[in-house]
Amino acid sequence: MSLQEAALTDPTKLGEVFKHHLPFLRRDTLQRLADVVTALIQARSTKHARLALHLPGHASSSVKLRRVERCLHDPQLDQDVFLKLLLPLLPDDKLVMTMDRTNWEYGEADLNVLVLGVVLEGFTLPLVWTALPHGGSSDTRTRERLVARLLKVLPAKQWRVLVADREFVGREWFAFLRRRGVKRCLRIRGDSRVDDLRLDEGWAYVEPGQVVGVLEKANIYGQVMQLVVTRTPEGELLALATDLKIDETRGVYHLRWSVESTFSAQKSRGFDLEASAMTKPARLERLVGVVTLAMAWCLRIGTWCHEQRPIKRKKHGRRAVSLVKYGLERLAAALRWGTSDRTILLSLVMQPFPAPIQHSAQDVGY
């Protein structure tokens, strides 16, 4: 049996799987990372003391606690490491990308993380992220650096479109995405100018449920783009500036909600990211990487388990549990009790997601 095959039957050897993708890092460093990720899946908490309880071996609790800290404080585990472990999971298909922020408070610290990821199975799998040194919105330069970092390893020809909400607008930002060859589907604010006409005044007539597509492209933030306008059932104007066709724009924009499912899974309904006391930007980014890797594994396994035994749907039509939670429960049980399906489940953690038949918004209940 090869080391890689052994790693798929024994989670204490998952570092060997990581070594295949990260040959420049020491095996003990990678095994420490694998141990903390599997501990996170079982503990469902980012508190160091709870993670330590689920580390393998017979060492004392204090020794295990230091092992957790060594992993989360290790500067070798930068974002390039996590990206190299996440990229093999992507399907061979055009990818819908989303950008958004998640923020929370720990004591007096205002923690704020900007994320860029890919829509997979109703969730956004973060690929690159950055901890902002302030609360509130991100600036154009920060967004540009994040996109540029991902484009180095995932060229624009593999992006179907970038979807984002009203925070992510501006002349320089729109122009940057065009220069980089990234198609856009971006919600714009009501006070935006479209061909020198204020949006919320020129399209005030749009009724809830009505969709208005301007036949001729308009000047929006200095770019010639398609404009699609509708109104939500609550009466709020929803306007999209896009490079897509009118008939596909609204459906693609709805995929933006997948990032909210991700933040929910990473935080209160999954891995309890907010419970960590880590506030320094570099360490916070490393922790987000560990949580993202755990979530990616659970989503991948949940997808496979759903193919084998579909999740029941409730009366309102939504799944009884999300794919992440479905995979989390199966993998946590396999790791803790060594169930008969452990080998199969661990073999999935570095296999690509199946190519989606069609992109659709996540319809789950927790």
Side-chain angles (χ1 to χ4, degrees):
M1 179 182 290
S2 70
L3 287 173
Q4 189 126 340
E5 290 171 333
L8 300 179
T9 60
D10 183 356
T12 63
K13 294 185 176 64
L14 274 172
E16 298 297 338
V17 177
F18 288 178
K19 186 68 175 176
H20 176 72
H21 299 278
L22 300 162
F24 53 88
L25 287 180
R26 290 168 54 95
R27 281 188 172 83
D28 57 345
T29 299
L30 295 172
Q31 188 58 54
R32 191 160 51 240
L33 172 61
D35 289 344
V36 171
V37 173
T38 54
L40 175 61
I41 290 168
Q42 296 173 82
R44 306 188 193 191
S45 173
T46 54
K47 290 184 177 180
H48 293 188
R50 292 190 62 180
L51 290 172
L53 292 174
H54 295 275
L55 288 185
H58 302 287
S60 66
S61 57
S62 61
V63 170
K64 290 186 175 182
L65 183 60
R66 287 197 296 272
R67 185 171 173 82
V68 172
E69 292 171 346
R70 282 186 66 190
C71 175
L72 297 178
H73 296 178
D74 190 346
Q76 295 180 91
L77 298 177
D78 58 19
Q79 288 200 45
D80 286 342
V81 166
F82 292 105
L83 186 55
K84 282 181 170 61
L85 294 174
L86 292 169
L87 286 175
L89 296 174
L90 302 186
D92 184 17
D93 194 22
K94 286 274 191 176
L95 304 171
V96 175
M97 315 299 292
T98 59
M99 176 177 281
D100 207 348
R101 286 185 306 111
T102 184
N103 61 282
W104 67 98
E105 293 181 354
Y106 188 86
E108 296 183 356
D110 190 359
L111 306 177
N112 198 8
V113 180
L114 178 65
V115 170
L116 173 61
V118 57
V119 177
L120 291 172
E121 304 296 341
F123 287 81
T124 291
L125 177 62
L127 295 176
V128 290
W129 51 89
T130 186
L132 302 177
H134 53 75
S137 302
S138 59
D139 60 67
T140 300
R141 294 290 176 265
T142 302
R143 298 175 217 149
E144 289 177 355
R145 286 194 294 270
L146 207 60
V147 170
R149 190 196 310 169
L150 186 54
L151 286 173
K152 288 180 180 179
V153 294
L154 195 67
K157 65 182 181 181
Q158 293 180 242
W159 298 32
R160 179 182 172 192
V161 66
L162 173 65
V163 183
D165 205 8
R166 288 168 290 187
E167 174 184 328
F168 305 96
V169 296
R171 294 179 69 90
E172 291 184 18
W173 171 239
F174 277 41
F176 167 80
L177 293 175
R178 182 178 178 83
R179 288 197 306 272
R180 291 304 188 104
V182 175
K183 290 187 176 181
R184 303 154 289 185
C185 182
L186 308 172
R187 186 175 179 181
I188 58 177
R189 297 189 295 261
D191 61 357
S192 301
R193 311 295 296 189
V194 178
D195 286 339
D196 295 325
L197 182 64
R198 183 172 163 127
L199 180 68
D200 54 8
E201 295 175 353
W203 282 265
Y205 65 89
V206 177
E207 299 289 336
Q210 181 183 5
V211 180
V212 176
V214 180
L215 294 179
E216 293 185 3
K217 293 185 176 181
N219 188 306
I220 307 171
Y221 288 104
Q223 299 292 308
V224 178
M225 302 177 70
Q226 184 70 60
L227 177 68
V228 179
V229 184
T230 185
R231 197 175 292 274
T232 67
E234 296 75 27
E236 185 179 12
L237 198 67
L238 192 159
L240 304 172
T242 183
D243 299 303
L244 302 178
K245 296 178 181 179
I246 294 175
D247 58 356
E248 65 177 322
T249 296
R250 269 210 316 166
V252 168
Y253 178 74
H254 286 162
L255 297 175
R256 194 200 72 79
W257 293 102
S258 65
V259 76
E260 302 298 340
S261 298
T262 291
F263 293 153
S264 180
Q266 289 185 326
K267 294 157 85 172
S268 60
R269 289 180 172 174
F271 300 102
D272 205 12
L273 177 60
E274 297 164 298
S276 174
M278 305 184 82
T279 58
K280 293 183 178 179
R283 292 180 180 179
L284 178 59
E285 290 172 357
R286 192 170 299 114
L287 178 64
V288 170
V290 170
V291 171
T292 296
L293 203 54
M295 192 202 83
W297 289 7
C298 293
L299 179 58
R300 181 65 186 91
I301 289 170
T303 301
W304 180 83
C305 291
H306 178 62
E307 292 172 353
Q308 307 305 309
R309 186 176 181 180
I311 301 170
K312 293 182 179 180
R313 292 185 179 269
K314 295 186 175 182
K315 290 182 179 179
H316 49 52
R318 296 180 180 177
R319 292 173 185 157
V321 296
S322 72
L323 290 175
V324 169
K325 190 171 184 179
Y326 199 36
L328 173 60
E329 291 173 348
R330 288 285 297 273
L331 184 53
L335 291 169
R336 182 173 177 81
W337 305 112
T339 55
S340 59
D341 60 354
R342 185 172 73 173
T343 300
I344 295 174
L345 298 182
L346 290 175
S347 71
L348 293 168
V349 299
M350 294 305 293
Q351 289 186 19
F353 282 84
I357 298 174
Q358 61 181 11
H359 295 291
S360 61
Q362 173 74 339
D363 56 343
V364 302
Y366 286 83

